Amino acid sequence: LSELFVSFSDKSWMHTPEALAKHYIPYNVKFLGNTEVEAPKGTEVVKDAVRKLKFQRHIKKSEGQKTPKVELQISIYGVKILDSKTKDVQHNCQLHRISFCADDKTDKRIFTFICKDSESNKHLCFVFDSEKCAEEITLTIGQAFDLAYKKFLESGGKDVETRKQIGTLQKRIQELESENSELKQQLQDLEEQLMIAHEPPAGSVSTKPLSTDVFDMVPFSPVTPLVPTVASNGLIIIIFVSPPPPSRWAELPFDPFTCGSADFPPDIQSKLDEMQEGFKMGLTLGGAVFALDPLDSRC
């Protein structure tokens, strides 16, 4: 911390201490990316990183990809990198983890800093295109270091531990926010799937399943006449016949069951009684086609 502070000691600061201590200074820049470096500081180290990331960005640009725009928020607690539209935090580089900061004297748009990653403990070099204000951003970071160093001396080092705890909590908050967004998306997907599952297909018609019940398949109607027929072998066959239209009722054959009482010869009366018994059995068994043997005692 002190080494980096010394490199800015001969510069005049641009912002009030309150702006960096109680708030932050925002800058809109283009983010070329970050890459791992072997050393925590050094001009040649960042030059190699800038060349590498510029080359990668040139390839992506030839493929039609634009350089992403981000917002930098610089304060005495660190440098935050946010998406310029959604304001989502992409990186939160705590100030005590930044070991080197510099702007490119040959290209006034480029500035960079090296930060030690809190998870992997690797040194990462971040490179930005700042539209010709690279030196101003570098000085702002230097002023934040100056104020943070003074505060460190005043607190006797206790403030560093507090900032570490705050940084840990901020990181955990970011993780929870990311998990919350993922769970919301999963819930929305499940709700959409549930709605689709309950919607009938377009043009579909609800139909009643076909019944296998014999009474549903061949309904009995009291107006459906029974035509008894005596076969040559003596069997009586009872068949359901669909009634004719009303216009042909006058042509219906004589039916002894629908006529009034009358006297018949004994042999005819015996046959009629047998036919009547068969008719009753036909009603009991559901009205299909039956062959009845009047001489069979089981009928």
Side-chain angles (χ1 to χ4, degrees), residues 1 4-5 8 13-15 20 25 27 72-76 78-79 95 98 100-102 111-114 128 134-148:
L1 183 64
L4 191 143
F5 161 67
F8 293 104
W13 303 130
M14 305 177 59
H15 309 285
L20 287 165
I25 306 298
Y27 290 98
L72 296 182
Q73 294 182 356
I74 303 173
S75 69
I76 63 172
V79 179
L95 205 64
I98 297 177
F100 190 82
C101 181
F111 83 95
T112 178
F113 64 83
I114 298 176
F128 304 88
E135 185 177 2
E136 178 182 338
I137 298 174
T138 304
L139 289 174
T140 301
I141 295 177
Q143 186 178 359
F145 268 103
D146 182 25
L147 295 172

Side-chain angles (χ1 to χ4, degrees), residues 211-220 285-288:
S211 173
T212 56
D213 195 312
V214 68
F215 294 101
D216 289 339
M217 295 177 0
V218 186
F220 172 76
L285 296 176

Side-chain angles (χ1 to χ4, degrees), residues 17-297:
E18 291 77 13
L20 287 165
K22 297 182 179 180
H23 304 284
Y24 58 83
I25 306 298
Y27 290 98
N28 292 314
V29 298
K30 293 181 180 180
F31 186 27
L32 273 65
N34 62 65
T35 183
E36 183 182 354
V37 292
E38 297 180 357
K41 59 183 179 179
T43 304
E44 293 301 322
V45 175
V46 296
K47 281 184 177 180
D48 292 340
V50 170
R51 281 194 293 266
K52 178 180 178 181
L53 291 174
K54 276 186 173 182
F55 179 74
Q56 292 179 357
R57 181 52 52 187
H58 180 72
I59 294 176
K60 292 181 180 180
K61 188 176 181 179
S62 64
E63 296 174 350
Q65 298 184 23
K66 295 183 178 180
T67 305
K69 296 180 180 180
V70 297
E71 177 183 317
L72 296 182
Q73 294 182 356
I74 303 173
S75 69
I76 63 172
Y77 300 104
V79 179
K80 287 185 179 180
I81 305 172
L82 295 82
D83 185 279
S84 60
K85 292 183 178 180
T86 64
K87 302 302 179 183
D88 292 336
V89 178
Q90 297 179 354
H91 301 278
N92 185 14
C93 304
Q94 300 173 9
L95 205 64
H96 68 275
R97 290 186 172 274
I98 297 177
S99 57
F100 190 82
C101 181
D103 56 273
D104 192 343
K105 300 305 179 182
T106 61
D107 188 346
K108 298 295 183 181
R109 301 176 306 171
I110 302 298
F111 83 95
T112 178
F113 64 83
I114 298 176
C115 179
K116 189 176 183 180
D117 185 67
S118 59
E119 295 183 355
S120 62
N121 284 329
K122 296 180 180 179
H123 291 93
L124 302 177
C125 183
F126 293 79
V127 181
F128 304 88
D129 186 333
S130 61
E131 297 295 335
K132 298 183 180 180
C133 61
E135 185 177 2
E136 178 182 338
I137 298 174
T138 304
L139 289 174
T140 301
I141 295 177
Q143 186 178 359
F145 268 103
D146 182 25
L147 295 172
Y149 183 65
K150 290 178 180 178
K151 192 173 182 180
F152 169 76
L153 295 177
E154 292 173 358
S155 65
K158 295 180 181 179
D159 192 54
V160 175
E161 186 62 30
T162 302
R163 287 204 305 272
K164 289 182 180 180
Q165 294 177 2
I166 292 174
T168 302
L169 292 175
Q170 289 176 340
K171 181 180 177 182
R172 181 54 181 161
I173 290 172
Q174 294 176 16
E175 293 174 352
L176 292 174
E177 289 177 347
S178 178
E179 293 176 3
N180 187 36
S181 299
E182 293 177 359
L183 291 174
K184 283 183 179 180
Q185 185 61 43
Q186 293 177 8
L187 180 60
Q188 184 178 354
D189 294 342
L190 290 175
E191 290 177 349
E192 292 177 355
Q193 293 176 8
L194 187 61
M195 291 178 63
I196 294 174
H198 283 76
E199 290 181 357
S204 65
V205 179
S206 177
T207 57
K208 182 179 178 181
L210 296 176
S211 173
T212 56
D213 195 312
V214 68
F215 294 101
D216 289 339
M217 295 177 0
V218 186
F220 172 76
S221 173
V223 299
T224 303
L226 297 170
V227 180
T229 303
V230 180
S232 58
N233 57 3
L235 294 178
I236 300 173
I237 302 175
I238 300 175
I239 305 175
F240 286 101
V241 179
S242 299
S247 61
R248 298 187 58 193
W249 284 356
E251 303 175 9
L252 289 175
F254 171 75
D255 189 347
F257 297 122
T258 60
C259 296
S261 61
D263 295 328
F264 298 97
D267 56 339
I268 296 177
Q269 183 66 47
S270 175
K271 289 291 184 180
L272 291 174
D273 292 341
E274 293 175 359
M275 292 169 63
Q276 188 173 12
E277 289 295 323
F279 172 72
K280 292 180 181 180
M281 292 184 64
L283 293 180
T284 303
L285 296 176
V289 178
F290 304 99
L292 305 179
D293 187 352
L295 302 179
D296 192 343
S297 61

